[in-house]
Amino acid sequence: MVRGDGKYLYDSENRAYLDFFGGILTVSVGHCNEKVNKRIHEQVDTLQHVSTLYPTIPMVELAEKLAALTPGRLQKSFFTNSGTEADETAVLLAQVYTGRREVIAFRHAYHGRSQLAMSLTAHAPWRSGPTAIPGIKHAHNAYCYRCPFGMTYPNCDLRCAKDVEELIQTTTSGQIAAVIAEPIQGVGGFITPPPGYFQELHRITKEYGGLFISDEVQTGWGRTGKYMFGIQHWGVEPDVMTSAKGMANGTPIGWTITTPEVAEAFTGLTISTFGGNPVSMSAAMGTLEVIEEESLIDNAEKVGTQLMGGLEELKQTYSMVGDVRGKGLMIGVEFVHENKRPAPDLTLAFMEATKKRGLLLGKGGLYGNVIRVVPGLNITSADAAEALKIMQESLTEISAGVSLA
Ligand code: PMP
């Protein structure tokens, strides 16, 4: 790829692609967004770097803005450079605050590429080597399409959430530091829990004295429509929240926010050379301004509903589309063969077929059989209609078994 402009990416032959993956849910308000880039340019010419040794105006302004935007009592931010570091910071905070070590994470979760983050991650292909960090237990996730208990919502009575209590009672000392969860599992294939799940999970976390960490690396910044953060759909107030990716439209950033008492428990030395970098801070502020000024959370809800509706219709026509799920502009399409057998082959063929027609999509899921549909938050109804048309043509092509040149 050579150039990006709004919703389009251009390759070395100047071919345009409608980008519905945005550099892994990162280019949230369009490539080279004018307003974000203006802020970046101005900041580069004013002050580029001082490290976390000194507070800067962009860092303080962003921290204040985030304290106002986040739910509940989340007030104190610490900035780093990636989602991995944001999650590392969150778990460390929980361990320092509670004086405990054990952490509950979820199967199919993804939290990053450090030793700790890989140990929290529950995808064999994304873990190089054995689990390095002890004290992490993985609960069953709320994967309704493939319920780990073979049950159906709501008759299941949220068995997966309730099982977390038994997991704590039987596989930990009962003294957990934290539960870390994605409101919608991203890399896992946009696995979306049913209503009531997170409330139950939160209740159990509190009962066993842990901090509840919401990993908003993929679900933050209006991506899921209606709210700024994914966890707000479930009416749960996290003790710690993390994000990265779409927060700064493509400029490297990591962010952890918590309550004053948890932040104040951290008294040791800590530093992140590039954390809070003024250019990244300005890019994040610019991105938030665009999201707010252009009402992009509402747009994600509106255009997301249109896309979801169109994909639901395709599911009725094409049996290889097994499940369509998600919220706002975070939509997963799970490809299957007969009896829900995962179809990574069809998923790949579908991606190639849409690419050929100028539409870029993402892939995910433990079995590599989930298409991730995640355009910029500022796409229009016409863009969504164009993408749906390309997806329909691609499904028709694959169904007919036409070979892909
Ligand atoms: N958490 C989640 C939910 C993610 O999706 C990712 C990245 N895919 C990370 C953490 C790690 O982020 P990074 O790649 O910026 O380290």
Side-chain angles (χ1 to χ4, degrees):
M1 292 301 172
V2 173
R3 192 163 59 87
D5 183 7
K7 60 199 168 211
Y8 293 111
L9 269 178
Y10 296 84
D11 69 14
S12 53
E13 282 152 22
N14 208 28
R15 196 172 162 212
Y17 299 87
L18 193 53
D19 184 6
F20 269 42
F21 199 38
I24 322 182
L25 297 88
T26 298
V27 181
S28 41
V29 296
H31 290 279
C32 303
N33 183 289
E34 216 174 296
K35 291 181 193 165
V36 178
N37 280 12
K38 182 164 179 284
R39 275 214 171 244
I40 293 173
H41 295 149
E42 283 170 4
Q43 191 57 51
V44 171
D45 289 336
T46 308
L47 177 69
Q48 185 164 10
H49 175 77
V50 287
S51 85
T52 42
L53 272 182
Y54 306 102
T56 62
I57 289 171
M59 180 173 16
V60 172
E61 281 181 349
L62 183 64
E64 284 177 350
K65 172 123 193 120
L66 294 168
L69 272 183
T70 44
R73 297 175 48 257
L74 299 173
Q75 295 285 309
K76 303 253 182 178
S77 289
F78 187 75
F79 297 105
T80 48
N81 312 285
S82 64
T84 299
E85 285 176 87
D87 286 345
E88 284 268 348
T89 306
V91 171
L92 179 63
L93 268 175
Q95 291 173 333
V96 168
Y97 178 73
T98 60
R100 302 164 170 192
R101 310 275 328 155
E102 287 171 296
V103 178
I104 303 294
F106 292 85
R107 297 186 189 188
H108 300 252
Y110 185 92
H111 294 293
R113 60 175 299 281
S114 64
Q115 295 282 10
L116 171 64
M118 273 195 292
S119 298
L120 292 168
T121 292
H123 281 250
W126 290 114
R127 284 166 157 218
S128 307
T131 309
I133 308 290
I136 296 167
K137 304 292 183 230
H138 288 93
H140 287 291
N141 63 346
Y143 196 172
C144 292
Y145 183 62
R146 298 181 187 279
C147 176
F149 298 95
M151 300 176 103
T152 309
Y153 179 83
N155 293 339
C156 61
D157 198 24
L158 297 169
R159 174 76 188 274
C160 55
K162 297 201 163 119
D163 189 61
V164 173
E165 180 158 20
E166 194 182 303
L167 183 81
I168 295 171
Q169 288 172 342
T170 57
T171 72
T172 75
S173 62
Q175 309 277 306
I176 56 164
V179 169
I180 181 167
E182 301 160 81
I184 293 177
Q185 289 183 319
V187 174
F190 292 0
I191 299 169
T192 311
Y197 171 81
F198 267 104
Q199 284 91 332
E200 186 63 9
L201 205 57
H202 184 256
R203 184 192 66 73
I204 295 167
T205 307
K206 293 288 107 187
E207 197 173 315
Y208 286 84
L211 296 192
F212 186 83
I213 303 169
S214 182
D215 179 339
E216 302 271 353
V217 170
Q218 297 211 7
T219 50
W221 321 112
R223 169 58 55 194
T224 59
K226 256 193 200 149
Y227 303 104
M228 188 59 91
F229 299 100
I231 199 66
Q232 291 173 295
H233 286 278
W234 316 119
V236 161
E237 280 184 14
D239 300 297
V240 187
M241 203 148 95
T242 64
S243 197
K245 287 195 194 286
M247 182 175 183
N249 210 43
T251 306
I253 195 163
W255 167 66
T256 308
I257 190 166
T258 189
T259 60
E261 63 270 21
V262 173
E264 276 151 28
F266 196 101
T267 53
L269 284 174
T270 195
I271 198 159
S272 171
T273 300
F274 289 120
N277 176 274
V279 182
S280 294
M281 300 292 101
S282 297
M285 190 60 109
T287 306
L288 284 173
E289 281 165 1
V290 172
I291 291 170
E292 288 187 326
E293 284 164 15
E294 299 181 14
S295 304
L296 296 187
I297 302 182
D298 291 343
N299 194 56
E301 172 76 1
K302 189 183 95 196
V303 185
T305 304
Q306 176 195 350
L307 262 177
M308 181 76 94
L311 286 164
E312 284 286 357
E313 274 179 33
L314 294 180
K315 181 178 133 184
Q316 303 308 322
T317 313
Y318 300 92
S319 60
M320 68 179 84
V321 178
D323 193 29
V324 176
R325 56 184 178 245
K327 285 192 182 296
L329 284 173
M330 184 170 184
I331 305 174
V333 183
E334 181 156 352
F335 279 71
V336 292
H337 291 291
E338 70 297 336
N339 302 323
K340 292 193 182 178
R341 189 163 56 83
D345 49 344
L346 299 178
T347 314
L348 216 53
F350 178 71
M351 273 180 97
E352 288 301 321
T354 63
K355 189 167 83 183
K356 200 169 72 178
R357 291 171 173 81
L359 171 67
L360 300 180
L361 296 163
K363 187 157 73 82
L366 180 61
Y367 317 109
N369 70 326
V370 182
I371 287 293
R372 291 193 277 170
V373 184
V374 268
L377 301 173
N378 50 1
I379 61 149
T380 62
S381 279
D383 301 328
E386 187 184 341
L388 281 168
K389 183 167 161 281
I390 292 176
M391 288 194 265
Q392 166 149 36
E393 286 170 9
S394 303
L395 283 166
T396 304
E397 176 187 317
I398 304 169
S399 299
V402 174
S403 74
L404 298 162

